[in-house]
Amino acid sequence: MTEGKGAVGKADLIIRGARIVDGTGAASRRGDLAVADDRIVALGDLNGLKAGREIEAGGKALAPGFIDAHTHDDRAALADPLMTCKVSQGVTTVVTGNCGVSLAPLTTERRPPAPMDLVCEDPAGFFADFAGYLDALDRAPPAVNVAAQVGHATLRVGAMDGLERAASAGEVKAMRGALEDSLAAGAIGFSTGLFYPPAEAAPTEEVIEIAKGLAAFGALHSTHMRDEGDRVLDSLAESFRIGREAGAPVVISHHKCTGRQNFGRSIETLARIEAARQGQPVGLDVYPYVAGSTMLASGRALNAERVIVTWSQTRPEVAGRDLDEIAAEMGLERDAAVAALSPAGGIFFVMDEDDVRRILTYPHAMIGSDGLPHDVHPHPRLWGTFPRVLGRYARELGLFSLEEAVRKMTSLTAAQFGLKDRGVLREGAFADLVLFDPETVIDTATFDDPKRPAAGIDLVLVNGRTVWQAGSHSGARPGRALRRQDQDPPRAAAE
Ligand code: ZN
Ligand code: CU
């Protein structure tokens, strides 16, 4: 803590009388915080300091802006740059390019295969090179910062004439080259979605050979694993092997155990992750819901307890409705209804609440929404993830402290991805800030009514500029493309 006089020459904004939750997990304390331009310039008792704009926090919590560790906001950041679904939750940075899907690098004339169409249906929406994508963000910035990964499915579509086989040596070389060019341009990592049709035929060795391009750039590998159900332990082993042989940190995306027969198995999976962490860097992200969401024809529809249709190209009017109801009306079984509605998306109730809680509580689990911003009737995680962790899982259920909840969405994530000077409140850090009421913060988005902003988020700043205040977007778009070369190395070892 710094005294108010001395170090600071000027401040543009002072937030006074806040409960300072600094993102590190340390106990909160009362204090003031000063911002000049895009940085935090002082923290502590700032009675001696004045600024043009002063805000009385009245004991509300002031935290680093939340970092959404897992998003599909690649195109939304350009197409809907206000990013209200995120800033209304206090999110100030999004990590894109997950599950093997990125908007670059790819030149194609055809509609991309599912699940790439969840991010972009239009072949003209893709960027031939990663520099072009990041430049587009610079030219027309969104309200939030963007750290972008390269997707394996995107590379495969660009390099291969058919996806139902392993890549040839020449195709692997082309993908590796495309990845390296993207990393040189500023991509922060390489993601796979081995679960999905565009990549399920890819053997482990294909992924390793491509991922070997990461180490020289200090970039990481994230994965939507091949199997999150019956063979989840095999998939963890495959993911660890890829990380080891490529020499890259691994992030297990949206960790879960799907299917009733696998309920409770997060006890085993977290033990495996903990064991692997003794020898290599492994992280994970998780969202706070028992339902997932992805393309409808993902095989999940058959095993889910319940399915809600999020969009359908053939029957747009059914978005938001229960698949079984629609199937009954059509006189079809579930699988035939899925075929009739596709291309389409769905929400799948496939998880156990105890597993969700256990994974959320795991100290190395980051919070990531996995929201799908283009869905007509999206999973409520798109609008509700962060306030739900704070309000439901920390405050109401007491799974962890407020400070720990904030750490999982700020410093832990910034360290994992190496996001320099973000995720903590300290002098010199970027002024990505959220002021919220710890007594009332909560998600209001539901499975029936999913596009509702959270309650209790008072003020959100990105790079020192207000994007959200008193329930409204300011219209400002101060976000930046966070290029790998301007960041810190991703965390290489256990804390
Ligand atoms: Zn995924
Ligand atoms: Cu995802």
Side-chain angles (χ1 to χ4, degrees), residues 167-188:
S168 69
E171 289 160 345
V172 167
K173 193 157 175 262
M175 289 191 271
R176 167 94 166 257
L179 173 65
E180 287 170 344
D181 289 348
S182 302
L183 294 167
I188 62 153

Side-chain angles (χ1 to χ4, degrees), residues 208-223:
I208 291 169
E209 284 312 309
I210 301 169
K212 280 180 179 169
L214 292 165
F217 294 89
L220 56 71
H221 171 55
S222 71
T223 181

Side-chain angles (χ1 to χ4, degrees), residues 42-64:
L43 197 57
D45 178 354
L46 305 181
N47 271 330
L49 194 66
K50 294 249 177 303
R53 182 179 173 208
E54 304 221 350
I55 291 170
E56 200 47 64
K60 288 185 179 170
L62 182 61

Side-chain angles (χ1 to χ4, degrees), residues 91-451:
V91 169
T92 57
T93 298
V94 298
V95 177
T96 65
N98 282 290
C99 302
V101 179
S102 61
L103 269 195
L106 177 61
T107 309
T108 180
E109 263 129 51
R110 288 204 298 257
R111 179 191 170 104
M116 289 173 64
D117 58 353
L118 298 179
V119 172
C120 188
E121 298 174 348
D122 179 4
F126 290 83
F127 289 79
D129 58 60
F130 218 84
Y133 174 62
L134 295 175
D135 289 347
L137 290 169
D138 288 345
R139 278 198 307 277
V144 296
N145 303 306
V146 177
Q149 303 174 95
V150 181
H152 179 220
T154 296
L155 295 181
R156 287 193 122 226
V157 169
M160 300 173 69
D161 52 13
L163 302 174
E164 281 150 21
R165 58 175 175 79
S168 69
E171 289 160 345
V172 167
K173 193 157 175 262
M175 289 191 271
R176 167 94 166 257
L179 173 65
E180 287 170 344
D181 289 348
S182 302
L183 294 167
I188 62 153
F190 168 58
S191 79
T192 50
L194 300 178
F195 169 75
Y196 287 116
E200 66 187 349
T204 313
E205 292 74 17
E206 171 184 322
V207 179
I208 291 169
E209 284 312 309
I210 301 169
K212 280 180 179 169
L214 292 165
F217 294 89
L220 56 71
H221 171 55
S222 71
T223 181
H224 178 153
M225 298 193 297
R226 211 179 276 282
D227 193 323
E228 296 175 307
D230 296 352
R231 305 195 58 183
V232 63
L233 296 182
D234 294 341
S235 288
L236 281 173
E238 179 182 35
S239 306
F240 302 152
R241 181 187 160 203
I242 292 166
R244 272 196 320 273
E245 296 196 16
V250 174
V251 173
I252 308 298
S253 294
H254 43 58
H255 185 43
K256 62 173 84 69
C257 299
T258 63
R260 181 163 287 280
Q261 68 278 17
N262 297 307
F263 285 8
R265 294 189 67 196
S266 61
I267 295 172
E268 297 166 68
T269 61
L270 292 174
R272 294 290 175 97
I273 290 170
E274 190 59 30
R277 284 176 55 84
Q278 307 313 310
Q280 68 184 104
V282 178
L284 66 151
D285 60 76
V286 59
Y287 51 78
Y289 296 88
V290 293
S293 182
T294 187
M295 55 191 276
L296 192 58
S298 63
R300 284 218 171 120
L302 299 181
N303 305 318
E305 317 263 310
R306 183 186 167 207
V307 180
I308 301 168
V309 177
T310 54
W311 62 279
S312 161
Q313 195 175 63
T314 62
R315 297 274 308 273
E317 71 280 5
V318 304
R321 292 187 55 203
D322 200 289
L323 177 65
D324 288 340
E325 252 177 62
I326 302 162
E329 277 176 24
M330 298 171 91
L332 297 173
E333 296 296 315
R334 257 191 197 182
D335 53 349
V338 165
L341 298 178
S342 291
I347 293 168
F348 309 93
F349 289 79
V350 289
M351 288 170 250
D352 176 35
E353 176 71 21
D354 286 345
D355 283 323
V356 171
R357 293 183 189 186
R358 193 175 293 116
I359 296 167
L360 281 170
T361 307
Y362 180 61
H364 304 291
M366 305 178 282
I367 307 302
S369 70
D370 201 11
L372 295 170
H374 309 292
D375 284 6
V376 176
H377 184 96
H379 187 305
R381 65 193 184 184
L382 178 66
W383 287 78
T385 289
F386 292 82
R388 183 172 172 82
V389 170
L390 296 167
R392 175 165 171 74
Y393 288 98
R395 184 183 63 239
E396 292 176 2
L397 295 172
L399 289 193
F400 32 71
S401 67
L402 178 71
E403 289 88 343
E404 173 66 2
V406 169
R407 187 185 68 85
K408 290 172 165 295
M409 33 184 95
T410 58
S411 75
L412 179 66
T413 319
Q416 175 70 70
F417 291 98
L419 304 180
K420 188 178 183 190
D421 295 339
R422 301 192 191 269
V424 289
L425 300 185
R426 60 163 166 73
E427 282 173 41
F430 285 103
D432 290 347
L433 302 171
V434 53
L435 182 69
F436 64 96
D437 186 344
E439 303 305 322
T440 63
V441 64
I442 196 74
D443 56 310
T444 70
T446 63
F447 287 100
D448 290 330
D449 189 4
K451 295 181 176 179

